[in-house]
Amino acid sequence: ITRTPTLPYETVQLKTVDDVIIQGWFIPAPSDKGKAPAILLLHGVADNRNYFNLDCNAPYAKQICPTEHALYPVGTYPTLIDALHWHGYALLAIDQRAEGERGGMFCTYGLLETRDVAAALTYLQHNATVDQRKLGIYGSSMGSMTAIHAAAQMPAFKAVAVESPFANLTTTLRTVTAQLLRLPGWMTGPILKLYQIRTGIDLTE
């Protein structure tokens, strides 16, 4: 975690049903909103909650942030946390298991991460500033898969928005990840099998 929100926030620690400790930030809605709708933010693989808090002035963000925008001077483009807060939302950004400052031994691309979401949901449901009728999830990449799996299991979430979800993990690993790692695509099958042997998790699910 290299940067904290510029908005008022609370550091939260959540515990899942399988005793994984999840770290996060809760950013209350603007104080004039009363009980506010809340959005759970879920990052992608090999990332953390900082994904939603990018500093557009930092060198690492040059390939990510716009260089110019009609509404914002150069270098002042808002983070996603800023933008959603301005629109009246309370936000909970968490590190999913095995990412960021979390517990957990390994990533499961959205399967066991649903337990992280369940812990986050419990937190939101016990937060007096949150409108329980208006809970949503926003997920990016692997976070998209977590969001889709979780929303199917937890009807308390009334809205889901996903960015860059994948339809089939095996295909994505073969056509995208293997090329990035300069591995032949045929190795995807053996790698997934070895992962299953070591963890007991079948990622083809």
Side-chain angles (χ1 to χ4, degrees), residues 43-46 96-99 106-114 116 140-150 165-166 168-170 172-173 177-178 181 188 191-192 195 199 201-205:
H43 61 78
V45 71
Q96 296 176 82
R97 60 184 58 211
E99 311 277 3
F106 49 86
C107 162
T108 67
Y109 288 84
L111 292 176
L112 297 186
E113 284 79 4
T114 56
D116 308 343
S140 173
S141 191
M142 181 193 78
S144 295
M145 307 315 297
T146 306
I148 292 168
H149 279 280
F166 47 85
N168 182 289
L169 179 60
T170 304
T172 300
L173 291 175
T177 311
L181 298 176
T188 299
I191 288 172
L192 286 174
Y195 176 96
T199 67
I201 302 295
D202 180 5
L203 289 185
T204 61
E205 297 178 14

Side-chain angles (χ1 to χ4, degrees), residues 40-64:
L40 173 64
L41 301 175
L42 300 173
H43 61 78
V45 71
D47 212 334
N48 58 52
R49 62 190 185 270
N50 254 346
Y51 175 80
F52 304 105
N53 194 43
L54 293 173
D55 177 4
C56 283
N57 294 312
Y60 71 80
K62 287 183 178 178
Q63 300 298 320
I64 304 169

Side-chain angles (χ1 to χ4, degrees), residues 59-75:
Y60 71 80
K62 287 183 178 178
Q63 300 298 320
I64 304 169
C65 297
T67 55
E68 58 182 70
H69 192 283
L71 297 178
Y72 308 104
V74 173

